[in-house]
Amino acid sequence: MNPDDLRELDELVEQIRSMKLHVAGGLGAALKKPLLLLLLVSKIENGRIEENRFHFDDIEKQLERLIREHGGRPTASGPKPEQPFSHLRSSAFWILKTQREYGPGKTALVSDLRHPDSYAAFRPQVFRLLRSSGEARARVVDSVLHEWWPETLHGDIREDLGLDRLDSRRRRQRDQQFTIDVLENFRYSCAFCGFHGVLNGQATGIDAAHVQWHAHRGPDTVENGIALCKLHHWAFDKGILGINEAERIGIADVFVTQSDGGLPLESLEGRPLAVLPKNKAIAGRFLEWHRGNVYLGQ
Ligand SMILES: [Zn+2]
């Protein structure tokens, strides 16, 4: 990549990271803009976009599905894909042309967005860069995923969007101490099922998970950590499993399994944690964040 393109890319990644998100509206609202960006990059990657001109009705349904699938706990107002499409205009890389004028912070009317002469576009240099460089697309996807989702969910999202091949292999530097402290606090066992695997004298198949996602200001402290096996880590981040106020395990009603193979998840319903923390309990505020933003059950 030439120095000009690299500078352009650095600037774009910075603007993406500093996008204004509707944090007050909960996780679902906050993830809408990142999902719109991932959708457009995936379309460019898979050769589905020729022109730097995006019509709302061409992506409306797909974006709505992505918000339902990867946007965390649904918000009361529903997926509303017009919001990110419209509000992304507060970032310098996004241009929105509508038939009416809207004040800052106002969402454009869906009927206006659907008008044949309304469209959105990337700033021309940004589009050219994303179009011409796989490296640029990989870095944008990587930055977006690391900024807003825990790593356990990256594979699902990439696969869903056909972005599997785009992986710049950047790994966020984990706070090693967090991992050690959390695993130690749970005796290297899964808090949900008690799984404790050892391979050549080393604990294996077990992760130190953040209760409040690191990507959403969850700290690297032992009070925000829970040791979970791979399956339960994924299910916890996906919102299928939760921990209720009475510290019992819940499983979201919307989750179903098609065979007895679901037992490793379903048998946990209503059970207390299999392993209790020995040094420090998980702080209530982090469990509350998970219930309010991620867990899909009651
Ligand atoms: Zn487990």
Side-chain angles (χ1 to χ4, degrees):
M1 199 179 284
N2 70 49
D4 283 349
D5 283 355
L6 202 55
R7 203 166 324 119
E8 186 75 50
L9 179 59
D10 284 344
E11 201 177 299
L12 173 64
V13 167
E14 200 36 55
Q15 287 170 0
I16 290 174
R17 287 215 182 107
S18 58
M19 289 189 302
K20 273 204 290 171
L21 303 180
H22 285 265
V23 178
L27 183 67
L31 297 176
K32 288 179 191 181
K33 283 182 184 176
L35 282 168
L36 171 58
L37 282 177
L38 289 177
L39 176 61
L40 292 173
V41 174
S42 99
K43 282 178 169 292
I44 296 173
E45 169 71 13
N46 295 298
R48 304 240 172 74
I49 284 182
E50 295 297 321
E51 210 191 341
N52 187 20
R53 188 177 272 244
F54 319 125
H55 291 284
F56 180 64
D57 37 359
D58 288 342
I59 61 157
E60 183 180 0
K61 287 282 166 281
Q62 280 171 295
L63 183 56
E64 188 177 318
R65 189 190 64 76
L66 286 174
I67 294 169
R68 287 188 199 281
E69 182 71 22
H70 304 292
R73 193 179 170 84
T75 47
S77 58
K80 294 212 180 290
E82 65 275 19
Q83 289 173 344
F85 198 87
S86 169
H87 292 294
L88 208 53
R89 71 186 191 276
S90 63
S91 294
F93 58 81
W94 190 252
I95 299 159
L96 183 72
K97 293 270 184 244
T98 47
Q99 305 311 298
R100 294 172 49 169
E101 296 268 333
Y102 299 93
K106 289 271 179 281
T107 307
L109 293 170
V110 173
S111 55
D112 190 353
L113 292 177
R114 285 186 187 141
H115 189 281
D117 296 329
S118 297
Y119 63 91
F122 283 119
R123 204 155 53 79
Q125 299 91 315
V126 167
F127 183 69
R128 188 192 48 76
L129 182 66
L130 290 175
R131 191 79 204 285
S132 62
S133 164
E135 195 184 331
R137 293 192 294 275
R139 227 182 101 199
V140 167
V141 168
D142 237 35
S143 312
V144 170
L145 288 174
H146 279 92
E147 195 74 19
W148 287 288
W149 284 273
E151 277 177 33
T152 38
L153 301 182
H154 293 183
D156 281 4
I157 299 172
R158 281 182 192 279
E159 199 178 321
D160 194 352
L161 284 164
L163 292 168
D164 323 45
R165 285 168 300 123
L166 263 193
D167 188 349
S168 67
R169 302 273 162 215
R170 187 178 67 92
R171 287 283 171 264
R172 190 170 61 81
Q173 288 237 310
R174 286 267 172 196
D175 184 334
Q176 288 296 310
Q177 200 57 44
F178 171 78
T179 305
I180 295 167
D181 292 349
V182 171
L183 293 182
E184 167 83 8
N185 200 26
F186 286 87
R187 300 174 179 82
Y188 293 85
S189 306
C190 175
F192 286 167
C193 68
F195 169 84
H196 178 118
V198 176
L199 184 67
N200 295 326
Q202 283 288 324
T204 188
I206 183 129
D207 299 333
H210 289 85
V211 177
Q212 176 167 345
W213 294 356
H214 194 271
H216 291 264
R217 296 195 300 265
D220 278 329
T221 55
V222 70
E223 298 93 332
N224 186 34
I226 182 167
L228 295 173
C229 70
K230 298 287 178 189
L231 176 66
H232 292 142
H233 186 178
W234 165 80
F236 187 63
D237 282 346
K238 193 77 187 160
I240 294 168
L241 294 178
I243 302 175
N244 69 18
E245 276 101 344
E247 302 232 331
R248 298 217 163 230
I249 302 166
I251 176 153
D253 290 339
V254 288
F255 175 76
V256 288
T257 50
Q258 303 293 332
S259 69
D260 291 347
L263 225 51
L265 289 174
E266 284 161 358
S267 63
L268 297 175
E269 174 76 60
R271 293 226 305 241
L273 294 183
V275 181
L276 291 171
K278 65 173 183 180
N279 301 320
K280 255 193 187 135
I282 306 169
R285 64 185 185 282
F286 300 130
L287 290 170
E288 211 172 287
W289 181 90
H290 187 272
R291 279 195 293 272
N293 290 287
V294 181
Y295 182 48
L296 300 168
Q298 297 303 308

